[in-house]
């Protein structure tokens, strides 16, 4: 029987992603802190629809807002590894990446009583060391890469990529990669961001973005017997009123199209059963 899966995931960054960009003054911090308000609205919506989701939370956010994170756990949602800070691993020195990765694992263990099963890189930019770290810590999956739109696959490590030579493929590991896409992420569509490096205009019409999100699922349903789309949201982005309205509409539209809602941990287990590594 055809089976089409939708995974709702929430990067609960609050201000950490803005601070990682050097935006440490009170206004951007308060902008990120709205994510705690948004998280409450999202949890209410998910409870009303009976959906469990995957939440990726930096360690500094868990330590800053323990009660908000405890509610996510209490209501049965997955809590995944999203770094200690929100600095992308590709920008960290090797020793700092090792330390931050371990620190975040321990912080999640303190909150949940167990280590995380999945990892999602801040800003979706891993280093050439990150896959090794994920495997060393015994995690089951990563969700930071974009090699497919609706089919998980086993991640490689050790690729050799040069500007002027053919790519040399590395080793295929037993780590499940659950791919993501910027087009299925709320941040680039909606967030206005001005910096010395440039301008992200954001602030798109929510109805048009919703049409794209629904169309991607419809395409998967028409072309794949089995597949999964991962939608990525940030509580301080999607938690605004008109965006909460399209999140509700998205969930209802996917439900009408027969979507099965899974956490990413549930998805990786189902993928392994279908395609043993």
């Amino acid at each position: 029987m055809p089976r089409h899966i939708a995974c709702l995931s929430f990067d609960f960054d609050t201000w950490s992603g803005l601070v990682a960009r050097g935006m440490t003054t009170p206004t951007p911090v308060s902008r990120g802190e709205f994510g705690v308000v948004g998280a409450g609205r999202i949890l209410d919506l998910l409870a009303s629809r009976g959906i469990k989701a995957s939440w990726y939370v930096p360690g500094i956010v868990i330590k800053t807002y323990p009660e908000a994170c405890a509610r996510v756990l209490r209501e049965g949602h997955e809590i995944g590894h999203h770094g200690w800070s929100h600095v992308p691993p590709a920008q960290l020195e090797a020793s700092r990446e090792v330390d931050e990765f371990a620190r975040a694992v321990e912080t999640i263990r303190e909150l949940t009583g167990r280590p995380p099963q999945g990892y999602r890189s801040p800003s979706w930019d891993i280093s050439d060391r990150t896959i090794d770290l994920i495997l060393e810590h015994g995690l089951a999956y990563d969700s930071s890469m974009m090699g497919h739109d609706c089919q998980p696959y086993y991640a490689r490590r050790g690729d050799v990529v040069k500007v002027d030579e053919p790519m040399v493929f590395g080793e295929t590991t037993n780590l499940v990669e659950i791919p993501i896409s910027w087009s299925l992420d709320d941040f680039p569509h909606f967030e206005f961001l001005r910096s010395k490096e440039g301008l992200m205009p954001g602030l798109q019409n929510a109805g048009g973005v919703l049409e794209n999100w629904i169309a991607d699922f419809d395409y998967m349903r028409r072309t794949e017997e089995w597949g999964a789309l991962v939608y990525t949201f940030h509580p301080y982005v999607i938690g605004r009123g008109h965006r909460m309205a399209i999140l509700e509409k998205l969930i209802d539209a996917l439900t009408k199209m027969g979507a099965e809602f899974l956490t990413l941990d549930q998805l990786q287990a189902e993928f392994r059963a279908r395609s043993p590594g």
Side-chain angles (χ1 to χ4, degrees), residues 127-138:
S127 76
D128 57 8
R129 306 172 297 268
T130 307
I131 297 296
D132 289 335
L133 277 173
I134 298 170
L135 291 167
E136 287 171 13
H137 282 271

Side-chain angles (χ1 to χ4, degrees), residues 183-184 189-190 204-217 231 233 238 242-254 257:
S183 64
L184 296 177
H189 297 301
F190 294 131
Q204 291 189 34
N205 179 276
V209 176
L210 175 62
E211 287 182 14
N212 290 344
W213 289 346
I214 293 172
D216 274 350
F217 191 88
Y231 295 89
F233 308 105
I238 204 70
H242 67 290
R243 300 171 194 161
M244 284 299 300
I246 67 163
L247 180 57
E248 293 178 21
K249 291 177 181 178
L250 175 66
I251 290 171
D252 292 344
L254 296 177
M257 288 191 286

Side-chain angles (χ1 to χ4, degrees), residues 230-276:
V230 177
Y231 295 89
T232 301
F233 308 105
H234 299 75
Y236 81 91
V237 180
I238 204 70
R240 299 285 177 180
H242 67 290
R243 300 171 194 161
M244 284 299 300
I246 67 163
L247 180 57
E248 293 178 21
K249 291 177 181 178
L250 175 66
I251 290 171
D252 292 344
L254 296 177
T255 300
K256 289 179 181 177
M257 288 191 286
E260 297 287 339
F261 291 93
L262 298 182
T263 67
L264 272 72
D265 188 28
Q266 290 171 327
L267 175 60
Q268 69 85 16
E270 184 168 321
F271 172 74
R272 286 183 189 277
R274 290 175 55 88
S275 305

Side-chain angles (χ1 to χ4, degrees), residues 127-227:
S127 76
D128 57 8
R129 306 172 297 268
T130 307
I131 297 296
D132 289 335
L133 277 173
I134 298 170
L135 291 167
E136 287 171 13
H137 282 271
L139 278 67
Y141 74 87
D142 173 64
S143 184
S144 308
M145 294 191 282
M146 307 181 185
H148 206 285
D149 53 359
C150 62
Q151 296 292 332
Y153 55 93
Y154 287 101
R156 293 192 310 270
R157 63 179 168 187
D159 289 351
V160 179
V161 183
K162 298 182 179 179
V163 172
D164 58 350
E165 295 183 15
M167 179 174 169
V168 178
F169 295 113
E171 168 199 11
T172 298
T173 72
N174 193 44
L175 181 71
V176 174
E177 180 63 38
I178 301 179
I180 38 71
S181 169
W182 285 114
S183 64
L184 296 177
D185 184 305
D186 59 356
F187 190 94
H189 297 301
F190 294 131
E191 282 303 295
F192 175 85
L193 194 64
R194 183 178 58 229
S195 69
K196 295 178 181 179
E197 290 73 34
L199 177 72
M200 289 180 60
L203 307 180
Q204 291 189 34
N205 179 276
V209 176
L210 175 62
E211 287 182 14
N212 290 344
W213 289 346
I214 293 172
D216 274 350
F217 191 88
D218 182 58
Y219 181 82
M220 177 183 70
R221 187 179 61 160
R222 290 187 289 106
T223 59
E224 303 280 350
E225 281 291 307
W226 184 94

Side-chain angles (χ1 to χ4, degrees), residues 94-109:
S95 60
R96 183 177 170 189
E97 183 181 3
V98 168
D99 290 344
E100 289 206 5
F101 197 100
R103 194 174 183 185
V105 168
E106 185 56 32
T107 301
I108 291 172
R109 190 194 305 270

Side-chain angles (χ1 to χ4, degrees), residues 11-21 23-40 42 55 57-58 60-61 64-65 68 86 187 191-193 233-240 243:
D11 290 3
F12 193 17
D13 300 335
T14 66
W15 41 261
S16 64
L18 299 170
V19 168
R21 291 180 167 90
M23 302 169 68
T24 59
T25 54
T27 296
V29 170
S30 69
R31 175 180 174 180
E33 196 163 38
F34 176 76
V36 179
V37 177
I42 292 162
W55 291 64
V57 194
I60 58 173
V61 173
T64 304
Y65 305 104
H86 201 278
F187 190 94
E191 282 303 295
F192 175 85
L193 194 64
F233 308 105
H234 299 75
Y236 81 91
V237 180
I238 204 70
R240 299 285 177 180
R243 300 171 194 161

